[in-house]
Amino acid sequence: MFDLETTGFSPASAAIVEIGAVRIVGGRIDEALKFETLVRPTRPDGSVLSIPWQAQQVHGISDEMVRSAPTIEQALPGFLDFVGGSAVVAHNVGFDGSFMRAGAGRLGLSWAPERELCTMQLSRRAFPRERAHNLTILAERLGLEFAPGGRHRSYGDVQVTAQAYLRLRELLGESG
């Protein structure tokens, strides 16, 4: 399970500012196996990229908060080691996966999880008559709550995504 917070919507022009992940082992969330870091956003030339005001309004991460955080060059190898060749799950994995592919590619690394699964797609299968499937609405539908200050922060979102994934698998009658 993983979640990213970014400076924008396009991996070509935006940067990752936070990575959060947790492992599911034996059908249970293992909070001892987690990855969580802020990331100081930089441009391809290495210069610091300011976090746009609009992005700060969404996730609450400011330039001050990431001033002493590792850069993506420092943080991404550790995250890739954490993931290894395992399958990954994210809410809207197309978005987060595109940032991972772009970031890894710029560093000459490989984003090659065994499989990418999406809780948004699982939500669409489980609730086909519903129109909205964002993480907030999915959490409400499943009776899940974000920790205070946890929504739109990587680790808070990934905790709820992990719970949602397990519940959706039950609803859909799937195991594994």
Side-chain angles (χ1 to χ4, degrees):
M1 312 298 302
F2 80 105
D3 183 78
L4 305 176
E5 299 303 330
T6 66
T7 61
F9 298 110
S10 169
S13 60
I16 296 168
V17 295
E18 188 175 41
I19 304 170
V22 67
R23 288 194 180 275
I24 293 179
V25 179
R28 294 186 166 206
I29 300 165
D30 189 338
E31 295 282 347
L33 299 174
K34 72 178 185 176
F35 184 95
E36 182 178 20
T37 188
L38 288 168
V39 179
R40 186 173 67 245
T42 55
R43 293 181 179 87
D45 68 4
S47 63
V48 174
L49 177 67
S50 289
I51 301 171
W53 178 84
Q54 299 90 334
Q56 289 184 44
Q57 295 305 301
V58 173
H59 50 56
I61 300 170
S62 68
D63 290 332
E64 179 63 30
M65 292 170 68
V66 298
R67 184 162 285 127
S68 62
T71 62
I72 196 68
E73 292 84 1
Q74 297 164 325
L76 193 55
F79 177 65
L80 295 175
D81 285 345
F82 178 82
V83 171
S86 301
V88 295
V89 180
H91 195 78
N92 194 4
V93 75
F95 179 83
D96 292 306
S98 70
F99 272 86
M100 293 309 302
R101 278 185 290 286
R106 280 194 286 274
L107 299 177
L109 302 171
S110 175
W111 171 249
E114 174 187 311
R115 187 173 174 199
E116 291 183 354
L117 301 166
C118 182
T119 52
M120 183 179 288
Q121 293 300 320
L122 292 174
S123 176
R124 287 182 176 136
R125 285 181 38 209
F127 305 105
R129 290 189 165 88
E130 300 293 340
R131 293 176 49 94
H133 297 276
N134 68 51
L135 188 55
T136 300
I137 289 173
L138 178 59
E140 288 172 8
R141 239 179 237 138
L142 297 174
L144 305 174
E145 293 184 20
F146 291 90
R151 181 65 178 117
H152 291 297
R153 289 302 302 268
S154 290
Y155 196 69
D157 284 356
V158 85
Q159 288 174 309
V160 170
T161 300
Q163 293 171 43
Y165 173 74
L166 293 173
R167 295 238 181 118
L168 288 165
R169 297 288 298 211
E170 286 176 23
L171 285 172
L172 294 168
E174 299 177 9
S175 60

